[in-house]
Every structure is written in C-alpha cells, then in structure tokens.
Amino acid sequence: MGKVAVGATVVCTAAVCAVAVLVVRRRMQSSGKWGRVSAILKAFEEDCATPISKLRQVADAMAVEMHAGLASDGGSKLKMLISYVDNLPSGDEKGLFYALDLGGTNFRVMRVLLGGKQDRVAKQEFEEVSIPPHLMTGGSDELFNFIAEALAKFVATESEDFHLPEGRQRELGFTFSFPVRQTSLSSGSLIKWTKGFSIDEAVGEDVVGALKKAMERVGLDMRVAALVNDTVGTLAGGRYYNPDVAAAVILGTGTNAAYVERATAIPKWHGPLPKSGEMVINMEWGNFRSSHLPLTEFDHTLDFESLNPGEQILEKIISGMYLGEILRRVLLKMAEEAAFFGDTVPSKLRIPFIIRTPHMSAMHNDTSPDLKIVGSKIKDILEVPTTSLKMRKVVISLCDIIATRGARLSAAGIYGILKKLGRDTTSKDKEEEMQKSVIAMDGGLFEHYKQFSECMESSLKELLGDEASGTIEVIHSNDGSGIGAALLAASHSLYLEES
C-alpha cells in the first residue's frame, strides 16, 4: 500500500494552470482559425475555474448536504446510506474468510487467512470468473446458481494451509456493486441493475437471500456475514492497516466516498446505538450537485444526453468515465467552429466516449519536445494523420483544464468531509494534540493519472493550510472490493470471542 503525504510539493493552483494556458493562447492570437480556437479555449478555462474561494463554497455545500442526508432519507442529493458497518477491522482478526465481488461482467471469489497484527493477511487466493452474457438478462435463479456453483468449486480447492476449525461455518463478505437499499449488515434489496444487467424479477428482492438460496441448492454451507459496497470495503481495508483512517474515496470510472460517523450524529438512525458508537456512512457523493460547481456548456449537454440527466452531476465532472468525453466535446466544438483539424470534422470525433480518460492521461503526461504521444493518440483514436505542435499544445491545455478542475473539486469534497467531522482545522485552545486523519484512496483515476492525483493532494493542502494539513494524510488502499469484504466478514464474525 503506497502512501503520499498531503504536503507533497506539487503546484496546482488555479493561477499556475492559467499561466500555462495563457502562454498557449497568446501564441494563437491571430485572425481566423486560431483566434476562434483561442476564444473557445479562454471561455472554457474561465468556466472551469476553481479558485480557492469557490472550492471553499463547494466544501461548505457538501457539509450542509451531508447534515441534511443524515437527518432524513430524501432530504438531500446525498443519499448518506447507513451501511450497518459499526465494527471496522482492527488488525486483530484471525482465521479463514471468503469474499465474493460482483460488480460487472466478471466476478471474483477470494479467500484470505488472517493472522492477527503480526501476520496480517498471511495468505490469499482468488479466482476470476466471466459471466456468460445470457445470464445477465435471464432469470435470477440462473445467475445466482452460476455464482454459487463457481464459489462451491473454489471452496473445494481449499488447501490444508487454509484450516477451518471444527464446528465453524465458513463466512463470506459479499461486495455487490449495484444500487441496493440496505436493511441490515447482511441484507439489502436491489434498487436497479446497471452495467448491462437486466433481470427484472430480482429488482426489489434481497440479493443476499438470493445468494443464500443458491448456495443451499448447490450444497454449500457458508454464512454471508456482510453485504458491502466497494467504497465501504476500501474504508475497511484502509482501517485494517491504519487505525487513523477516517474516510475512503474511490476515484475511478465512477466516484464515491464513505466515512466513519458518530452514531449520535445520525438523526435518521432509529435502531439501538451500536456498542462502538460509530457507523460507516456510504455517501454516494457522485450525486452531489450545487450552484457552486463550475459547470460548462459541455457539462450541461453531456448531462442532458446521458442515461440519467440531472443525476450524478459531481461524478460527471470528476470521474474517469467522463473526463475524456469532456475533452472530445471541446475538441468537436473547435473542429466545427474553428476548423481545428482542417476543413472537415474527423468522423471519429463525433463518436461519444471515443476518447477515454486513459488516452487523456497519456497525452497529458507527454513531456517529449514535439509532444509525440499527443500526435500518435490523435492519429490512432481520431484518424487524423498529422497535427502541428501548436495543435498538440492546445490539446495539452485542454487536458490540464479538465483534470485540474476534477482534481480540485475532489479535494473540495474531501475537505467537506473533514469539515463535517471537525477535522479541518487545528485549534490553539485544545490542550490535546489534534487527531490524525487518514483518507484511504482507490480507483484507477487516482492510481494511474499522476497529474490528477498530485493536483488533488496539493489542492487539499491549500484548503487545509500548512498547520492542519500536517494532521491529514492520503494513502492508496487498493482492492477494497476484495480484501475489504473479507475483512468485514472477519470483523463481524459469529466467532469473534473464539479468535
């Protein structure tokens, strides 16, 4: 698990980004084509601006929405879902635990042997299984039978190293990355399918119940100890190694955040207070929206043409699913209104999502003198055989504007969580040293898009100030959806007293 101090000396202020864009723009101040390209670039840069004052407004709005979502269901754009996880892993957990991670066209089955604080994850094994397309749109029993059969086959390969004490039932953490209305730690009804699945009879049903019945049908004796979302799993994985982890954020294809809240600060919780006094909240922060978010004409049209207009607005401007698409839309406007690629608009440029965020990251990371990678990506993706250095520099400027906005808004979201928890500042009045807060991060966007993650971390430091940022750390905590689920099965095991 890698970690990066928030105090990393990466400069990513709005002013510095503006200087880089200004250099490109001045070189284009001429009549005709380049004048229009320059005007589009300038307007886009201004609309995407994230000065520190705006980031503070976004963070304040995030904290307000968090309060509202905790007060009542439907009271906020943030769902603030109660996860029923009130006992995060401590590192003391021992024994054999399984995980099932279902989040797309493949699923993973995993087993881990936990050895307490000394050995941690002593041994782990996993297998990935592809789901045949006909099962994604067939019947519920057929899908869950297939999953249970694969799980039973995997259990059958358990070696002597993974010893299960006599009289114990195997326990499983189930990561189910589809919208679920959770009703307890180990039950939840499916709200809707996404990612190409469409099994109508399963909607509204308890997904754990469906899995249990399938396991019974194939003769597999296993208890589902926890139904978890991948962000909650990331939080569990982070806490297992570091007791100061207070929140987890996923920045990948999509985005979400989860954090540890005081149980007494959740007015909509009507059950008995957990012994730990804490409850993990799944924010579903991708659905956040605010008048303070810097939205452009391209964001509005992208949202309007999407499958879920008006929803997931934050996700549509900061996550990996959309950054490359925003770039495509700006380039299309330049091509149509300023003949950026010549007299004809490249036909490939009209295809939504043809520019993916990994393409954008590769271009943004191009440090060659002639920006050779930018040229080759434009050629491969858009089938534009030649581009001038001037054009390539415009593409780099657009990447910088889009990534900077996304990274700085991500930082504002994290700052909003810290504000809600009262960990955003140091107080001279407090006799005690301020509590250290660690943010566990995961997702391909954070892990692989260097400019994005560095800009996010430096922007968080800028928001916190030097003194407070000394108490905040950002770490990379990967595979929350696998290891995290197994760890939550362990921390909610029936056999805790015996471990």
Side-chain angles (χ1 to χ4, degrees), residues 251-255 314-323 357 445:
L251 285 165
T253 305
T255 184
L314 181 66
E315 183 167 85
K316 286 170 182 168
I317 57 175
I318 74 170
S319 81
M321 176 82 181
Y322 299 100
L323 300 185
T357 300
L445 183 62

Side-chain angles (χ1 to χ4, degrees), residues 149-417:
E149 283 166 7
L151 188 53
K153 280 179 194 165
F154 183 64
V155 169
T157 65
E158 203 177 89
S159 67
E160 280 298 311
D161 295 342
F162 291 92
H163 176 63
L164 186 75
E166 202 170 326
R168 275 202 188 191
Q169 188 182 24
R170 288 178 182 83
E171 295 180 293
L172 172 86
F174 181 17
T175 301
F176 187 74
S177 299
F178 299 90
V180 161
R181 186 169 287 104
Q182 198 128 356
T183 46
S184 75
L185 178 66
S186 57
S187 63
S189 56
L190 175 65
I191 296 170
K192 64 175 179 180
W193 288 107
T194 55
K195 307 171 194 177
F197 283 79
S198 179
I199 304 170
D200 291 344
E201 66 186 27
V203 175
E205 295 299 308
D206 177 14
V207 293
V208 174
L211 178 62
K212 279 182 185 169
K213 285 175 189 167
M215 289 194 295
E216 286 168 14
R217 284 193 292 267
V218 301
L220 177 60
D221 182 25
M222 186 176 276
R223 171 180 172 260
V224 181
L227 173 67
V228 299
N229 142 293
D230 55 357
T231 317
V232 174
T234 299
L235 179 58
R239 177 66 75 94
Y240 181 68
Y241 290 100
N242 190 324
D244 293 324
V245 167
V249 175
I250 289 187
L251 285 165
T253 305
T255 184
N256 193 14
Y259 75 104
V260 184
E261 182 60 273
R262 289 174 296 111
T264 53
I266 311 170
K268 69 181 179 183
W269 171 257
H270 300 301
L273 289 178
K275 287 179 190 171
S276 66
E278 296 180 334
M279 180 64 73
V280 174
I281 298 294
N282 167 18
M283 290 177 63
E284 293 292 340
W285 87 349
N287 203 43
F288 173 75
R289 71 179 305 166
S290 161
S291 59
H292 299 299
L293 289 177
L295 300 176
T296 70
E297 60 179 284
F298 307 100
D299 303 308
H300 290 300
T301 55
L302 186 157
D303 176 50
F304 180 75
E305 293 166 13
S306 71
L307 295 171
N308 54 346
E311 302 294 318
Q312 302 296 109
I313 299 300
L314 181 66
E315 183 167 85
K316 286 170 182 168
I317 57 175
I318 74 170
S319 81
M321 176 82 181
Y322 299 100
L323 300 185
E325 172 62 2
I326 297 166
L327 173 61
R328 182 194 71 85
R329 286 169 180 265
V330 185
L331 286 173
L332 180 60
K333 179 168 180 164
M334 288 181 170
E336 289 178 336
E337 297 185 13
F340 185 68
F341 292 106
D343 292 337
T344 57
V345 176
S347 59
K348 294 281 187 184
L349 190 56
R350 297 192 187 278
I351 301 172
F353 296 95
I354 194 166
I355 300 177
R356 295 170 51 245
T357 300
H359 300 144
M360 175 176 151
S361 170
M363 292 190 288
H364 197 175
N365 202 34
D366 189 355
T367 54
S368 61
D370 58 350
L371 301 177
K372 188 164 66 179
I373 294 169
V374 177
S376 70
K377 288 289 178 192
I378 296 293
K379 182 180 178 182
D380 295 345
I381 301 161
L382 301 180
E383 295 178 356
V384 175
T386 55
T387 46
S388 66
L389 183 58
K390 202 174 187 180
M391 292 166 72
R392 295 174 190 183
K393 285 181 175 176
V394 170
V395 173
I396 291 281
S397 292
L398 291 174
C399 292
D400 202 48
I401 293 166
I402 295 164
T404 297
R405 178 184 65 166
R408 286 173 68 78
L409 290 173
S410 303
I414 294 170
Y415 184 59
I417 296 172

Side-chain angles (χ1 to χ4, degrees), residues 42-50 54 293-299 405:
K42 179 174 186 282
F44 183 60
E45 178 201 0
E46 288 171 353
D47 289 344
C48 286
T50 50
K54 183 172 279 292
L293 289 177
L295 300 176
T296 70
E297 60 179 284
F298 307 100
D299 303 308
R405 178 184 65 166

Side-chain angles (χ1 to χ4, degrees), residues 115-158:
K117 280 203 164 70
Q118 189 173 342
D119 294 327
R120 297 286 177 170
V121 179
K123 194 172 172 67
Q124 70 178 86
E125 292 176 349
F126 74 91
E127 199 171 287
E128 192 156 317
V129 183
S130 291
I131 299 174
H134 72 275
L135 291 180
M136 295 169 65
T137 55
S140 179
D141 285 355
E142 287 80 4
L143 174 66
F144 283 99
N145 283 351
F146 181 79
I147 292 167
E149 283 166 7
L151 188 53
K153 280 179 194 165
F154 183 64
V155 169
T157 65
E158 203 177 89

Side-chain angles (χ1 to χ4, degrees), residues 14-31:
V16 171
C17 291
V19 168
V21 176
L22 192 62
V23 170
V24 172
R25 207 164 57 233
R26 278 183 178 159
R27 287 175 184 160
M28 300 188 315
Q29 295 298 343
S30 60
S31 60

